[in-house]
Amino acid sequence: MYQSDAARLDPYQTQEPQSAYQTYAVGRDPYQAYERAHGPYQSREPGYGLHQPGHSPYDDQIPDPKSRMLAIQNAKAYLLKSSTTSGLNLYDHLANMLTKILDEQPTNAVDIIENISKDVKWAQFQKKMDTLRDEHEILPTFEAAEKRKALFLKANGGGDEELEEEIGETPLPNVMETAFYFEQAGIGLSKDESYHIFLALKKLISVQPIQTCRFWGKILGLEMNYIIAEVQYHEGEEEEETEDEEVIEEGGKKRGEVEDKDEEKEKEDEPPKSTYKPPPVIPKEENGTGANKYVYFVCNEPGKPWVKLPPVMPAQIVCARKIKKFFTGRLDAPVVSFPPFPGNEANYLRAQIARISAGTHISPIGFYQFAEEEGDEEEEGGAGRDTYEENPDFQPLSVVEMVDSLTTWVHHVQNILKQGRCVWLNPFQKSEEEEEDEEEEKAEEPDELQQEIGPPLLTPLSEDEGIQNIPAWTAQPSTNLIPQYAVAILQSNRWPGAYAFASGKKFDNIYFGWGHKYSPENHTPALPPPVQAEYPSGPEITETRDPTLEEELAFKAAKEEALAAAEEDDDEEDVEDDEEEDDD
Amino acid sequence: MEAASLPAALELAAGGGAGLSPEKRAVLGASLLLLQRDYRFERVWFWGCIQGVRGSYYIAEGLGPDRAAPRSRLYSLNCVEWSLLPPVTEEMVAQAEQLKGRFQGDPSFEYEHIEINAEDAERLFEDEMTTRKALPLKFAYVSLKPTIKEEARLVATIEQIDRAVGIIPRGAFVKTPLGSVHENRNFEGLSLTEAKKLSSYFHFTKPFNLKNKTLLEKADLDPSTDFLDSLEHDIPQGSWTVQLEKGDTVVVLRSLLWLGLTFYHVPVTKQYGYIYFGTGEKNFDLPFML
């Protein structure tokens, strides 16, 4: 930009009278300053006589001071000349620039002189007095700030009653306290964000009938992130979400009926019916048990409304184990993958949350114990206990003990079996309804599935398998300098981003990450299944190869022979008939 | 990120859940200053933390007068005492690329059974020959060492991360006609609209694609500030997430190729920087995950 300015000045120069040019030569020569500094030159040295005041080569053209004054005036007139394109003139611009430099006194001004010039020119535009008023730009930042401010406003109404309720037993977790303990290990969000989440959870609790609530963690996404709260409803207050599922099932049945009608119509030459029976859909676990023990709410940012995630189906967990996709941040985004994921991002998120909880939610040993009313331990092949309660006599271990060995920690979330459920279910067990509907003939009963057994609840971490030569968990105290107040911190190596802390009677789990399991090997997606055979060969339908040309010709020739032979016979017969008729 | 602005920067880059404990923050303020004194760095950057299985490495980088010159890297296990890492060579990088799995957390750990395939070996051999003007005796030195120390793997990984995803906003650094690079004192920050575009950020490393630009594109560029590759043409596309956090006041870029690298910038201010908190492993599954 400056080069072009210089170029523009040059053509002007050639038009100016020589006298004016001379003063430029003195000022514009960049080397003059250096030259002056070298003096005084002796008459024999090169450089003598050049560029010395009063001895420049053009001096002879300005004989007297009057012309010099004229030359100066001409120069000033030139500087005051307004530019045709921008309306500025160089004199004013230089004056403004030098004023600005003298006012601000930046260091090494000569290095940034061009930028200062640019700034001065730019400032020109702002000072224009427009008759139009500036419309204040409504930046999206302002809207976001409004939402965040709304979190801090106390809800109206209620007055004293609410205050009492709030101070008493509240399901609201102390997010700041948990954040403090995790911060001792360097884990966690900034304090601002933690506080916003705190208030957002408070809002959630005031809206929904919630018994217990916990900040589960944050999962990062491509466009937006997810903040996740783990919640348990009051008993009996759950909304029935099964309506949607029933509607879907009915829709499927209707479609099936329509297809049957179509098939009945074409009874001739039907292609053989497929004997493919899709594997039975494993039903999801009841709300409140197994993988659906907790209900999860997510929001993108504190201040935005909380959205409830649907309960998880075993098929979704099984598929989620095979794929690895980033979350986009929009709950309704489709998950494009192979094997095709049965659901959208909300379902995928829920499945990953279930896996992470099952794999990494741990507590100090003794904090939870089994309720003592378990009479029968042998139900259903030792399905194990799935409920626990807090141990009132819990004696916390010291931090050193918690860190040294992994037997001091236990999982308190049920392990998810390969099937996708926590409690194994035999899908081929006939329930009463199904027996009536099923056809009498059963072609082939698949082999009975082996019951899957997982580690029981409250197993210590030392049973966790490592990956290759890495243990499943890394345990460290939060500080080595002040062991009296250190906090025991566990990091999961199988699910990077899952952390747990324990300090005295307090403990908690949290997750900050992208939502994927660690695998030292690269992810290999499942291969598509082999091409299916079309029809089984049987007496009705057999596939044979097309006859080759020679075979066809041979067949044709044979046929012609037979035809010729038949004609002869016919002729003979006809002749015979004729003869017979004739005879008659 | 700049050591001087570390406390504020950590708050801004904490969206991913990773940060430093108060103890480390407190000691870094002092120990990074002492690093600057001892090694006579002009600038000290706290690069981040690589988590190993048994311990973590905290990394700092020191810069001299030319900010684009190869940087000195130091590591520490507790943020108090720092050790200088050996300067990185191409051979180290090639060897480190073969290694998979987590860092162990022990600087003297030796990894074994490195296999360099024949092509890489030849290439390295030729590089060595041309740079060293090798004497025949040095033949055997083309070190196809079967083991590599964790220190070397550490510095090679840091170099890879810096090369691949170390970024700065456009205009933050200027190149002088003499070739050296230093901070641009006139950089006032990117505007909000500019900050959301990937083309406003550059890789702070030797540019690869600059020469391939068309003349039309080159005409718009200002050689003093546009002397690096921008993020627009990174492969695969979508390997950066751009988000606005903290109520749309901070622009945070996260790399998906090296999970754990976070870059933050507050628009219209001079605050920017990047930091790495992660396991030091490249995310090779990225194309499947997008």
Side-chain angles (χ1 to χ4, degrees):
Chain A
M1 297 29 119
Y2 297 99
Q3 293 100 356
S4 52
D5 280 343
R8 259 192 285 137
L9 283 174
D10 277 335
Y12 289 135
Q13 275 184 342
T14 54
Q15 293 162 16
E16 293 299 316
Q18 286 288 60
S19 54
Y21 178 77
Q22 178 235 335
T23 49
Y24 289 140
V26 170
R28 277 177 55 85
D29 196 330
Y31 296 106
Q32 179 170 10
Y34 302 101
E35 300 267 346
R36 276 220 186 100
H38 296 169
Y41 287 109
Q42 303 300 317
S43 55
R44 65 179 177 282
E45 292 175 27
Y48 178 72
L50 291 176
H51 302 301
Q52 298 212 6
H55 294 277
S56 88
Y58 301 107
D59 258 348
D60 53 344
Q61 298 176 11
I62 303 180
D64 56 303
K66 223 175 170 186
S67 301
R68 172 162 286 180
M69 293 306 296
L70 189 61
I72 292 175
Q73 280 178 0
N74 282 342
K76 190 167 175 185
Y78 169 72
L79 287 177
L80 281 167
K81 209 176 193 180
S82 304
S83 152
T84 45
T85 48
S86 61
L88 311 167
N89 65 52
L90 192 54
Y91 190 88
D92 285 339
H93 181 66
L94 284 172
N96 289 337
M97 222 165 62
L98 289 172
T99 316
K100 181 173 165 132
I101 292 178
L102 288 170
D103 282 340
E104 293 179 4
Q105 306 248 343
T107 51
N108 294 340
V110 64
D111 292 331
I112 48 175
I113 189 82
E114 291 85 7
N115 288 333
I116 296 178
S117 170
K118 220 196 306 193
D119 285 343
V120 169
K121 280 193 187 165
W122 186 65
Q124 289 276 338
F125 287 97
Q126 289 183 321
K127 282 191 194 153
K128 267 189 196 155
M129 296 308 225
D130 257 336
T131 48
L132 298 169
R133 255 185 284 177
D134 275 332
E135 187 187 310
H136 285 284
E137 207 186 317
I138 301 188
L139 296 168
T141 43
F142 298 153
E143 290 172 20
E146 278 285 327
K147 281 199 195 129
R148 289 163 97 83
K149 182 179 160 184
L151 280 177
F152 289 89
L153 295 171
K154 225 170 170 180
N156 298 331
D160 290 333
E161 292 174 13
E162 272 200 14
L163 213 64
E164 283 179 15
E165 267 183 32
E166 285 179 18
I167 296 178
E169 280 279 327
T170 166
L172 185 65
N174 193 346
V175 171
M176 296 310 289
E177 192 184 1
T178 317
F180 164 77
Y181 283 111
F182 277 117
E183 196 195 350
Q184 300 304 305
I187 300 154
L189 309 168
S190 62
K191 291 226 176 62
D192 284 355
E193 205 169 341
S194 297
Y195 207 86
H196 281 106
I197 293 175
F198 201 4
L199 290 172
L201 284 177
K202 178 176 175 193
K203 208 166 163 197
L204 174 66
I205 286 170
S206 64
V207 171
Q208 302 266 352
I210 288 174
Q211 186 179 19
T212 62
C213 173
R214 199 175 78 82
F215 174 48
W216 186 90
K218 181 174 180 184
I219 288 190
L220 302 169
L222 296 181
E223 295 165 27
M224 289 183 284
N225 305 324
Y226 290 116
I227 294 175
I228 300 160
E230 183 183 77
V231 144
Q232 252 183 331
Y233 280 121
H234 285 303
E235 292 180 7
E237 293 218 24
E238 284 179 36
E239 300 169 15
E240 289 294 321
E241 286 286 340
T242 50
E243 294 176 6
D244 291 333
E245 294 169 17
E246 285 177 15
V247 166
I248 295 172
E249 284 179 22
E250 283 175 27
K253 279 186 196 155
K254 281 186 195 154
R255 260 181 268 127
E257 289 171 6
V258 169
E259 284 175 4
D260 285 336
K261 286 181 196 159
D262 281 338
E263 283 183 19
E264 285 173 8
K265 282 182 198 164
E266 335 168 346
K267 281 214 166 166
E268 339 156 337
D269 285 344
E270 275 180 30
K273 287 202 186 134
S274 153
T275 50
Y276 171 71
K277 285 207 176 70
V281 173
I282 302 172
K284 73 173 170 76
E285 292 175 289
E286 284 299 312
N287 293 347
T289 65
N292 285 322
K293 182 163 184 186
Y294 295 100
V295 178
Y296 292 91
F297 282 85
V298 296
C299 76
N300 286 125
E301 263 198 21
K304 295 210 177 143
W306 291 92
V307 178
K308 182 170 163 181
L309 286 180
V312 68
M313 316 267 297
Q316 291 168 353
I317 291 191
V318 168
C319 191
R321 285 178 171 145
K322 297 184 189 153
I323 66 175
K324 196 171 180 188
K325 292 290 244 176
F326 279 123
F327 294 99
T328 60
R330 291 169 288 123
L331 285 173
D332 51 0
V335 177
V336 180
S337 66
F338 185 79
F341 187 77
N344 58 13
E345 182 156 313
N347 303 103
Y348 184 43
L349 179 64
R350 180 67 180 81
Q352 291 293 91
I353 293 175
R355 290 173 70 201
I356 294 174
S357 298
T360 63
H361 276 29
I362 56 181
S363 56
I365 193 168
F367 191 90
Y368 289 120
Q369 67 184 9
F370 289 121
E372 294 203 357
E373 297 173 17
E374 294 291 332
D376 37 1
E377 290 184 9
E378 296 184 7
E379 261 185 34
E380 309 250 336
R385 308 155 177 168
D386 57 356
T387 53
Y388 50 81
E389 59 178 23
E390 277 190 37
N391 181 357
D393 305 321
F394 172 55
Q395 294 298 328
L397 299 165
S398 74
V399 168
V400 177
E401 285 175 356
M402 300 295 296
V403 165
D404 272 342
S405 99
L406 291 177
T407 50
T408 48
W409 295 83
V410 296
H411 287 277
H412 62 257
V413 176
Q414 266 183 315
N415 185 45
I416 301 185
L417 305 166
K418 251 176 74 173
Q419 201 184 37
R421 293 170 51 104
C422 293
V423 173
W424 189 78
L425 183 77
N426 187 350
F428 296 112
Q429 250 179 13
K430 300 179 206 169
S431 64
E432 294 176 5
E433 300 172 13
E434 287 180 11
E435 277 191 8
E436 297 170 12
D437 291 357
E438 270 179 14
E439 301 174 1
E440 285 300 325
E441 39 168 284
K442 271 187 150 187
E444 294 162 5
E445 242 189 71
D447 297 332
E448 274 199 28
L449 295 176
Q450 286 290 321
Q451 181 185 17
E452 295 169 18
I453 307 175
L457 204 54
L458 299 190
T459 33
L461 293 199
S462 38
E463 312 280 333
D464 277 1
E465 289 175 7
I467 309 174
Q468 293 184 348
N469 51 354
I470 307 172
W473 294 87
T474 301
Q476 290 171 352
S478 63
T479 164
N480 289 319
L481 297 174
I482 308 177
Q484 304 95 312
Y485 294 107
V487 175
I489 303 277
L490 254 70
Q491 295 179 17
S492 170
N493 293 326
R494 276 196 294 174
W495 290 95
Y499 303 100
F501 84 87
S503 168
K505 286 203 171 177
K506 296 200 178 31
F507 83 96
D508 206 347
N509 301 281
I510 208 157
Y511 183 85
F512 292 112
W514 296 90
H516 299 115
K517 195 168 189 175
Y518 173 71
S519 90
E521 303 302 323
N522 295 341
H523 168 74
T524 40
L527 290 174
V531 176
Q532 292 175 348
E534 281 189 325
Y535 308 115
S537 285
E540 306 103 40
I541 286 190
T542 353
E543 267 188 73
T544 50
R545 304 195 39 227
D546 278 347
T548 61
L549 192 57
E550 292 85 15
E551 285 176 24
E552 269 195 35
L553 290 175
F555 182 70
K556 205 171 172 190
K559 206 172 174 189
E560 280 174 10
E561 278 183 20
L563 205 60
E567 280 183 8
E568 285 179 11
D569 287 345
D570 279 347
D571 285 345
E572 286 179 7
E573 282 181 11
D574 285 345
V575 164
E576 285 177 6
D577 284 343
D578 286 344
E579 286 179 356
E580 284 177 10
E581 286 179 3
D582 284 346
D583 286 344
D584 292 344
Chain B
M1 55 183 60
E2 279 286 338
S5 54
L6 197 57
L10 283 173
E11 287 279 314
L12 294 170
L20 291 176
S21 64
E23 181 191 321
K24 300 271 174 342
R25 259 184 253 180
V27 76
L28 273 179
S31 71
L32 289 179
L33 267 184
L34 291 175
L35 267 188
Q36 196 173 353
R37 174 201 72 181
D38 291 337
Y39 289 88
R40 313 212 199 235
F41 293 136
E42 283 203 12
R43 290 270 191 276
V44 178
W45 283 6
F46 180 66
W47 185 89
C49 168
I50 290 191
Q51 287 148 0
V53 174
R54 289 192 284 272
S56 306
Y57 298 105
Y58 298 91
I59 316 285
E61 286 184 336
L63 289 87
D66 181 5
R67 309 284 190 256
R71 302 172 216 163
S72 324
R73 295 174 171 119
L74 303 101
Y75 78 95
S76 162
L77 296 165
N78 53 10
C79 284
V80 182
E81 279 133 19
W82 297 85
S83 323
L84 189 62
L85 283 166
V88 67
T89 61
E90 287 301 325
E91 184 201 333
M92 277 177 176
V93 174
Q95 275 184 323
E97 276 179 351
Q98 309 285 327
L99 289 170
K100 284 192 184 173
R102 303 275 304 268
F103 279 84
Q104 292 299 319
D106 170 21
S108 53
F109 182 81
E110 297 217 344
Y111 294 92
E112 295 173 349
H113 308 299
I114 315 295
E115 293 165 14
I116 308 188
N117 56 21
E119 286 180 7
D120 284 346
E122 272 185 28
R123 187 171 46 85
L124 286 173
F125 180 61
E126 285 170 9
D127 284 348
E128 298 252 358
M129 291 290 276
T130 51
T131 54
R132 290 160 169 271
K133 298 194 172 80
L135 304 169
L137 282 174
K138 294 210 176 174
F139 247 76
Y141 189 86
V142 173
S143 31
L144 297 175
K145 286 187 232 151
T147 63
I148 177 172
K149 274 190 155 179
E150 176 135 310
E151 272 189 352
R153 183 183 177 197
L154 186 63
V155 74
T157 308
I158 299 171
E159 172 72 16
Q160 277 182 300
I161 294 178
D162 272 342
R163 261 190 225 165
V165 291
I167 58 177
I168 52 162
R170 178 175 181 266
F173 284 85
V174 279
K175 192 167 187 171
T176 59
L178 303 168
S180 68
V181 170
H182 51 75
E183 285 91 355
N184 181 4
R185 283 178 31 222
N186 270 339
F187 177 60
E188 291 286 335
L190 301 171
S191 69
L192 196 58
T193 38
E194 272 179 24
K196 291 191 226 173
K197 291 192 250 177
L198 279 181
S199 55
S200 334
Y201 301 99
F202 290 153
H203 290 280
F204 196 40
T205 173
K206 276 205 175 51
F208 289 111
N209 289 335
L210 214 51
K211 301 167 229 162
N212 301 340
K213 284 190 189 275
T214 63
L215 273 181
L216 204 59
E217 287 172 347
K218 277 196 219 172
D220 288 331
L221 300 180
D222 182 4
S224 60
T225 51
D226 294 307
F227 56 98
L228 300 166
D229 283 331
S230 89
L231 295 189
E232 259 183 322
H233 303 293
D234 270 6
I235 295 165
Q237 225 183 18
S239 62
W240 288 94
T241 64
V242 183
Q243 286 175 4
L244 290 165
E245 292 197 358
K246 285 192 177 301
D248 289 1
T249 52
V250 182
V251 172
V252 174
L253 269 76
R254 292 203 178 91
S255 166
L256 301 176
L257 188 58
W258 290 93
L259 288 174
L261 184 105
T262 313
F263 170 87
Y264 74 92
H265 174 52
V266 184
V268 201
T269 68
K270 282 191 186 181
Q271 298 172 45
Y272 66 86
Y274 70 84
I275 199 164
Y276 181 85
F277 279 108
T279 58
E281 287 168 294
K282 195 167 179 177
N283 181 18
F284 286 104
D285 303 332
L286 181 58
F288 292 118
M289 294 167 80
L290 283 174

